Amino acid sequence: MQLAVLAGFVVAGLTPWLHRVAGARTPLLLALLPAAIVGWLLQHWSLLAGGGALMLEQAWVPALDITLTFRLDGLAWLFACLIAAIGVLVLVYTGGYLRGHPDLPRFLAVLMAFMMSMLGLVLADNLVALFVFWELTSLTSYLLIGFRHTDPLARQAALQGLLVTAGGGLALLVGFVLLAEAGGSWSLAELASRGEAIRGHVLYLPLLVAILIGAFTKSAQFPFHFWLPNAMVAPTPVSAYLHSATMVKAGIYLLARLHPALSGTSAWTLGLALIGGVTLLLGAVMALRQTNLKLMLAYSTVMALGTMTLLLGIGTRAALAACLVFLLAHAFYKGALFLVAGILDVMTGTLDVTAMGGLRRLLPWTALTAAVAALSLAGLPPMLGFVAKEALFGALLEAGGTGWVAVVAVTLAAGLTLSVAAIVAIRPFLGPLRDPPRRPRGTPPALLVGPALLAALSLLTGVAPGLFDELVTVTLAGLGASGEALHLVPWHGVGGPLALSLAGLVLGVAVFLRWESVRARLVDVLAPLVARGPEVWHSTLGWRTLQLAHWQTRILQNGHLRTYLVTILMAWLGLVGHALLVRHGSLSWPGSAWQAHELVVAALMAAGALTACMVRSRLAAVAALGSMGFSIALTFVLFSAPDLAITQLLVETLTVVLLALVLFRLPHFTVLSTPLQRWRDLGVAALVGALITTLMLAVLGGERLPSVSHYMVANGQPLGHGHNLVNVILVDFRALDTLGEVFVLALAAVGVYAMLCFRAEEAGHG
Amino acid sequence: MEAVLAVTIGILFAAAIYMLLRRSIVKLVIGLILLSNAANLLIFVTAGLERGAPPLVPRGMAAPAWAVADPLPQALVLTAIVISFGVLSFAVVLVRRAWELVRTDDLDHLQDTDR
């Protein structure tokens, strides 16, 4: 299985070459891979049906306990099947949708990479591996939203989506680290069995909040929902696949996966139910405000995601079962409807429902597909959507208590969703024929096969939902809600759920009939709210962050060497000075007594340095530097370092010659700074000098560690065959250092020579 | 004597830093010279001073018969002196080249890469 996923990434990378060879057949060829994965999954179902799980372990970073372990259990199987199967249909659809598009290979490559990341996400058992795949899906989503990169809107939406989901990803990483700390393991399977310990841990609340932020950003929950509708600028296969059927469900997957480990506390129930409830109402209301087909569907996806979050928050066995059925139903009908929207876009050149009408005569099969899928979206029998809605209402009614708030909210949302479904299915296809920007002519089969199959699945599984009995039961057992086998039936009979469905139906039909005026009212009422909504917070935050970055760059990175130096020196002064004060309360006045001539040498040195700073004449400065250098050489002589003295003398002579040769071609010293600046610099310089002196006194007065050079002193003659120990060290004991030094000098010489020659050449040409 | 030299080295460092903070590029070079000399002396003095005991082995002997100055810091400083000369010569030629090209001594005028 790891092999399949990793091979998928390789295939993604090879797609451009494949496209060069296979041309327009590439999407079909690529679809073979997910098709094979579906086959493999179906073949291995029997292993899982008994309640087992398939572990495929592969060490990755063993030192950090990170493994690339894939674990196939009910939940992973369900998601993997959805990803791979819808992936096949979307690839086939893409072949028709982007036929002849010059960037088709790039699109397919990223789509394949996404598919594999998503598979890795649902199969990974290790938290770190899951996180890596999670971020990969964010990245590929960014690339796919921004596919039409010449459009500034697409770039903006892509960036917004990336910032929101990747920002949530960071929170998720924090949550994962805390979770591993609290649960004592990086393995999801092990964490699932340690729920008690995790919920009782002191870190439980922070880790829950961090993980919920990660999941909510990915699954477009309030207040992070705004990126999803904006992401609709992506090509329709992406909207159908990433932003409806799979990627946005990653958050739902994660919450379901961590359900055994984290659920059951009031924080979990309240957080999920509240956010889910707000999101589902918001999605349903905002959907009616739109006229763009894809935006309506996007908001209804937000509504569906909110519903699933709410159900996970309630967390009873019935609620979990309803969540799974709803997930399946939504993947089928929403995938189909998005693909239908894409067909309308390609065929008519518009997505505005108010500009379409009567298309059933021109696009009969598309109309039929849309009608079937919309029935499921509306939650009407005999579709899977109906089964899901009945289960949903059943779970809500069973939960009791304050669940009635949720019941009201969901009934409202169900009614509004029904009207959305009616608008999507009826407005473009029924009524008198309106003239769209482009006149459609028969749908190509490549476009139609995907949505038609998905719509057919909605119908088939709606009539026979028992097909999912085993899957749902096994998955529930994996989520820690085992019990007797579940039986899904197409018709529940008359009862509470049906009554709520009917209430929703009445509301939905009423809203649909008066949609135009309802929409106008909604636009008016919501406009001020949207103008102050989370999307504005997000853009303001981004804008402010940029401002802050500009500001701090201006202050800290202003390009003046002296500002950098002063910053570094002041930091150094503060840190070292503080450490010195803390460690050494008092300073001694260490060292041997001085002799008069030594004092003279030291005074000459200091005088030379100070003179070099103060004189206006360059010649005087060079002379002062020279006198300082020679005083240093004298110091070396006085204190037993003849080799240093010789070297210093040579180098000093050369330096004076070099300065004399070059410096006098340079301008005279000029005064460029103000007196205030000079005093400030003098202050910094004096502080640094004082600290250096203090440090030296502290070091000299402190305890001496034994020198490391005893070996060199004892063995210089016997092993190095030299009488001058310094020379022996340089050419023998530390010969490699000297070799490095020779290289540095050679490089400097080459540099000097090159710069001098360059000038000559230029002069020759000039 | 160590204490006296410590103060002297402090003065050298202060002078070096002051020159490094100037806007004139030639003064920057002078600051560089001061800084390398000060650093060399710092290493030399901190290792401890010995009078009249150079690290030499008399002829016919395997090791010095009396305590000599530590040869290792001397070797390190010797390397440092030579390296700092390499750096200095490169810097000086570079400054001259910059002067020829942009005709300014002011570091603030060198900020624009377009010139």
Side-chain angles (χ1 to χ4, degrees):
Chain A
M1 197 67 212
Q2 282 108 329
L3 208 65
V5 169
L6 296 179
F9 281 115
V10 175
V11 169
L14 294 177
T15 304
W17 282 276
L18 186 65
H19 185 261
R20 210 167 290 169
V21 178
R25 288 189 303 276
T26 316
L28 292 177
L29 285 175
L30 286 177
L32 289 178
L33 181 67
I37 292 178
V38 173
W40 187 88
L41 286 168
L42 290 174
Q43 188 194 339
H44 283 72
W45 170 249
S46 54
L47 276 176
L48 309 180
L54 193 62
M55 289 281 273
L56 297 148
E57 196 153 345
Q58 177 72 48
W60 186 7
V61 191
L64 293 176
D65 197 19
I66 296 171
T67 57
L68 195 62
T69 303
F70 280 1
R71 187 167 178 278
L72 188 65
D73 63 354
L75 188 66
W77 192 91
L78 169 69
F79 270 92
C81 265
L82 276 181
I83 294 161
I86 299 184
V88 173
L89 300 180
V90 165
L91 275 170
V92 172
Y93 181 86
T94 303
Y97 184 81
L98 287 178
R99 174 175 292 276
H101 194 289
D103 285 331
L104 180 65
R106 174 161 64 89
F107 183 85
L108 289 172
V110 183
L111 196 67
M112 285 302 281
F114 164 76
M115 191 186 295
M116 294 309 140
S117 314
M118 194 66 210
L119 275 174
L121 197 164
V122 297
L123 289 170
D125 180 56
N126 187 283
L127 285 178
V128 176
L130 192 155
F131 174 75
V132 170
F133 286 120
W134 180 282
E135 292 295 63
L136 274 176
T137 60
S138 290
L139 267 182
T140 42
S141 159
Y142 168 73
L143 292 174
L144 289 171
I145 299 173
F147 175 65
R148 297 188 177 117
H149 55 80
T150 48
D151 177 4
L153 267 182
R155 292 202 301 270
Q156 202 183 333
L159 187 64
Q160 189 186 51
L162 181 72
L163 285 178
V164 173
T165 52
L170 289 181
L172 186 71
L173 181 61
V174 172
F176 277 178
V177 172
L178 295 179
L179 178 61
E181 187 66 31
S185 169
W186 290 94
S187 158
L188 282 164
E190 279 176 42
L191 287 170
S193 61
R194 295 180 192 173
E196 286 293 318
I198 296 171
R199 284 190 289 272
H201 200 276
V202 66
L203 288 174
Y204 173 72
L205 205 60
L207 77 85
L208 180 68
V209 170
I211 288 177
L212 288 191
I213 290 178
F216 287 173
T217 49
K218 197 77 159 181
S219 282
Q221 300 292 302
F222 179 84
F224 307 112
H225 61 276
F226 54 86
W227 72 266
L228 185 58
N230 288 339
M232 291 301 131
V233 294
T236 302
V238 176
S239 306
Y241 192 40
L242 272 72
H243 303 127
S244 174
T246 58
M247 189 188 89
V248 290
K249 301 229 173 80
I252 304 297
Y253 165 78
L254 184 71
L255 293 177
R257 176 57 83 198
L258 293 175
H259 191 268
L262 298 179
S263 72
T265 63
S266 53
W268 168 278
T269 307
L270 195 69
L272 263 64
L274 195 68
I275 296 290
V278 171
T279 308
L280 76 91
L281 267 183
L282 177 118
V285 173
M286 295 286 274
L288 282 176
R289 193 174 144 260
Q290 310 297 333
T291 58
N292 181 307
L293 209 52
K294 275 176 80 177
L295 284 179
M296 295 184 89
L297 292 174
Y299 276 111
S300 100
T301 304
V302 171
M303 177 264 167
L305 293 168
T307 310
M308 284 182 253
T309 307
L310 171 70
L311 284 169
L312 283 168
I314 294 171
T316 57
R317 187 161 190 260
L320 290 179
C323 181
L324 292 175
V325 179
F326 195 88
L327 176 97
L328 283 165
H330 179 259
F332 293 157
Y333 68 68
K334 199 53 73 64
L337 284 175
F338 264 115
L339 296 180
V340 164
I343 296 177
L344 292 178
D345 190 15
V346 171
M347 291 291 132
T348 67
T350 180
L351 276 168
D352 190 343
V353 278
T354 55
M356 291 186 257
L359 289 173
R360 70 173 191 284
R361 271 159 256 165
L362 301 171
L363 302 167
W365 289 104
T366 311
L368 182 64
T369 304
V372 173
L375 269 184
S376 189
L377 169 63
L380 294 177
M383 313 300 294
L384 189 60
F386 175 70
V387 179
K389 198 161 74 172
E390 292 285 289
L392 163 64
F393 281 132
L396 289 178
L397 289 174
E398 184 203 274
T402 49
W404 63 268
V405 184
V407 171
V408 174
V410 171
T411 312
L412 267 175
L416 298 180
T417 304
L418 192 138
S419 40
V420 169
I423 293 163
V424 168
I426 294 175
R427 298 284 302 217
F429 297 107
L430 297 186
L433 184 63
R434 293 203 187 184
D435 254 343
R438 212 180 298 152
R439 189 148 176 105
R441 275 172 293 162
T443 320
L447 284 176
L448 203 54
V449 64
L453 262 176
L454 285 172
L457 264 177
S458 291
L459 176 62
L460 174 71
T461 55
V463 174
L467 288 170
F468 292 134
D469 281 354
E470 199 179 25
L471 174 61
V472 173
T473 310
V474 167
T475 308
L476 283 179
L479 296 180
S482 46
E484 58 192 74
L486 206 83
H487 288 295
L488 298 168
V489 287
W491 179 256
H492 285 255
V494 182
L498 192 67
L500 290 173
S501 283
L502 280 177
L505 180 68
V506 172
L507 175 71
V509 171
V511 170
F512 170 68
L513 292 177
R514 311 177 43 135
W515 178 53
E516 301 285 351
S517 60
V518 169
R519 199 184 82 77
R521 289 283 290 280
L522 273 178
V523 170
D524 284 348
V525 172
L526 291 177
L529 284 179
V530 172
R532 287 189 207 104
E535 185 172 4
V536 182
W537 309 343
H538 177 261
S539 61
T540 312
L541 184 69
W543 177 65
R544 291 275 176 206
T545 310
L546 268 184
Q547 263 193 333
L548 184 73
H550 281 306
W551 174 80
Q552 73 95 18
T553 307
R554 231 178 15 251
I555 299 290
L556 295 179
Q557 308 287 335
N558 60 3
H560 292 288
L561 174 67
R562 53 182 183 280
T563 320
Y564 299 153
L565 259 182
V566 168
T567 311
I568 293 168
L569 287 173
M570 293 314 279
W572 178 76
L573 273 170
L575 292 173
V576 177
H578 176 256
L580 202 63
L581 278 181
V582 171
R583 300 256 174 89
H584 292 265
S586 64
L587 278 177
S588 58
W589 202 243
S592 48
W594 60 71
Q595 292 169 7
H597 63 281
E598 293 170 356
L599 279 186
V600 172
V601 173
L604 269 177
M605 219 189 294
L610 293 177
T611 315
C613 296
M614 287 186 288
V615 291
R616 288 281 169 83
S617 141
R618 292 165 301 173
L619 186 64
V622 171
L625 279 178
S627 85
M628 179 199 71
F630 290 121
S631 311
I632 293 176
L634 265 178
T635 316
F636 289 147
V637 171
L638 290 172
F639 294 102
S640 319
D643 301 278
L644 289 190
I646 294 167
T647 317
Q648 176 79 20
L649 277 175
L650 281 174
V651 164
E652 204 53 48
T653 316
L654 277 174
T655 306
V656 171
V657 171
L658 185 73
L659 288 178
L661 274 178
V662 174
L663 224 50
F664 293 102
R665 307 214 172 173
L666 293 180
H668 285 279
F669 288 163
T670 43
V671 178
L672 296 168
S673 47
T674 61
L676 181 71
Q677 284 173 331
R678 283 200 292 279
W679 281 110
R680 185 202 67 182
D681 295 347
L682 196 63
V684 174
L687 279 175
V688 171
L691 185 59
I692 292 266
T693 302
T694 324
L695 266 181
M696 281 190 73
L697 291 178
V699 169
L700 289 165
E703 197 184 337
R704 276 296 173 81
L705 294 172
S707 169
V708 292
S709 52
H710 291 302
Y711 173 84
M712 297 169 183
V713 173
N715 290 301
Q717 206 282 327
L719 295 179
H721 301 291
H723 290 274
N724 183 333
L725 290 173
V726 175
N727 282 359
V728 171
I729 290 175
L730 282 175
V731 299
D732 200 319
F733 292 128
R734 306 193 57 84
L736 274 179
D737 279 2
T738 311
L739 186 68
E741 179 194 352
V742 171
F743 271 119
V744 172
L745 279 184
L747 275 179
V750 169
V752 168
Y753 180 73
M755 268 190 287
L756 292 176
C757 281
F758 184 38
R759 188 185 66 91
E761 231 172 65
E762 202 174 72
H765 288 296
Chain B
M1 192 59 205
E2 278 92 342
V4 176
L5 281 175
V7 174
T8 317
I9 291 166
I11 294 175
L12 255 60
F13 266 103
I17 297 295
Y18 181 75
M19 290 309 259
L20 286 178
L21 291 176
R22 301 296 94 219
R23 259 165 76 180
S24 159
I25 203 163
V26 181
K27 288 183 180 172
L28 189 82
V29 172
I30 293 179
L32 213 57
I33 298 174
L34 287 167
L35 190 69
S36 54
N37 274 318
N40 291 343
L41 263 184
L42 176 91
I43 298 171
F44 181 70
V45 174
T46 321
L49 296 174
E50 292 280 345
R51 288 191 184 84
L56 300 171
V57 182
R59 285 231 168 266
M61 292 178 73
W66 54 86
V68 293
D70 195 341
L72 191 60
Q74 293 193 16
L76 297 182
V77 172
L78 201 146
T79 308
I81 293 175
V82 178
I83 295 269
S84 56
F85 176 68
V87 172
L88 175 72
S89 50
F90 189 78
V92 166
V93 178
L94 194 66
V95 167
R96 194 186 131 165
R97 184 83 194 126
W99 164 252
E100 280 172 357
L101 283 178
V102 280
R103 288 282 151 188
T104 179
D105 182 35
D106 188 346
L107 277 174
D108 285 8
H109 291 169
L110 294 176
Q111 284 192 359
D112 302 330
T113 46
D114 301 344
R115 288 185 59 159

